Amino acid sequence: MSLRSDLAIIAEHVAPGARVLDIGCGDGELMAELRDVRGADVRGLEIDPANVSASVARGLSVVQGDADADLAFYPDKSFDHAILSQTLQTARAPDAVLTELLRIGKSAFVSFPNFAYWRVRWGLLWGGRMPVTPALPVSWYATQNIHQLTIDDFRAFVAERGITVEGAWFLAGERRIGATAANLRAEHAVFLVRA
């Protein structure tokens, strides 16, 4: 199975046998990889009923729910990792969702598209319109992204709250790049954080 690049990074860093909650798990692609390759005990929360059905069809334990409302029902530190991949920017209250992630998991993986990526900046500067890119693939009126953020925004957010960054990975397309000028050069970011 060939995972999307940010999911592959997460999968590489989940210890074998770990207990994992994937919030916004989509069709369960990452969960299946973690179960089948890493022997992880995986659970999922997904808002889209079609994705819930696809995940369950893979034999995965996924419930339909909303990260903004339903994370409060999970016990403290009940998972080794909570995962929020390409979902933070769609949350109504991303700060509250991240707080819940760090309460539920001993650590959390968070990945998101970087709104400060140079092509996004270029599109705004020269086109004067909200960009449509591979990372932001739909027009402004159809996007689920309601809280666009940048790598530097996320770094400031975790620093202000005393959240520890255990790892950070950056992607330009499907290719990993270094941390130098990542806020400008990276299209996506993946962070591993803990409270």
Side-chain angles (χ1 to χ4, degrees):
M1 178 185 306
S2 179
L3 290 174
R4 194 176 71 208
S5 294
D6 62 315
L7 299 180
I9 290 168
I10 294 168
E12 287 173 23
H13 293 89
V14 169
R19 286 188 42 81
V20 177
L21 176 63
D22 189 353
I23 298 121
C25 64
D27 66 3
E29 180 183 23
L30 175 61
M31 291 176 62
E33 176 83 4
L34 293 174
R35 177 195 62 196
D36 299 345
V37 176
R38 308 296 279 179
D41 179 4
V42 293
R43 304 283 182 268
L45 179 72
E46 172 59 42
I47 199 166
D48 182 333
N51 280 334
V52 173
S53 294
S55 295
V56 170
R58 291 178 186 237
L60 298 166
S61 177
V62 175
V63 296
Q64 185 174 1
D66 184 341
D68 280 301
D70 297 327
L71 295 178
F73 299 111
Y74 289 91
D76 293 358
K77 304 299 181 214
S78 52
F79 294 91
D80 297 310
H81 302 291
I83 298 171
L84 194 69
S85 176
Q86 305 294 327
T87 303
L88 184 64
Q89 72 281 358
T90 69
R92 287 184 303 277
D95 54 339
V97 169
L98 187 57
T99 298
E100 286 295 296
L101 243 62
L102 293 171
R103 181 189 61 77
I104 295 165
K106 295 174 185 170
S107 68
F109 287 97
V110 180
S111 74
F112 54 88
N114 176 27
F115 202 66
Y117 179 52
W118 73 269
R119 287 187 183 189
V120 173
R121 294 181 192 204
W122 182 261
L124 284 169
L125 179 65
W126 292 108
R129 297 178 63 189
M130 290 299 288
V132 176
T133 69
L136 303 165
V138 295
S139 295
W140 66 269
Y141 54 85
T143 186
Q144 295 176 336
N145 299 325
I146 58 176
H147 292 286
Q148 297 288 3
L149 71 154
T150 71
I151 291 167
D152 285 353
D153 286 329
F154 190 79
R155 286 176 171 154
F157 176 86
V158 297
E160 289 165 6
R161 286 160 177 77
I163 297 168
T164 300
V165 174
E166 293 185 332
W169 301 269
F170 307 103
L171 298 160
E174 297 293 309
R175 184 176 48 87
R176 290 185 197 186
I177 63 170
T180 304
N183 198 52
L184 178 65
R185 297 174 48 240
E187 190 172 12
H188 287 96
V190 180
F191 283 85
L192 174 59
V193 295
R194 66 174 170 80

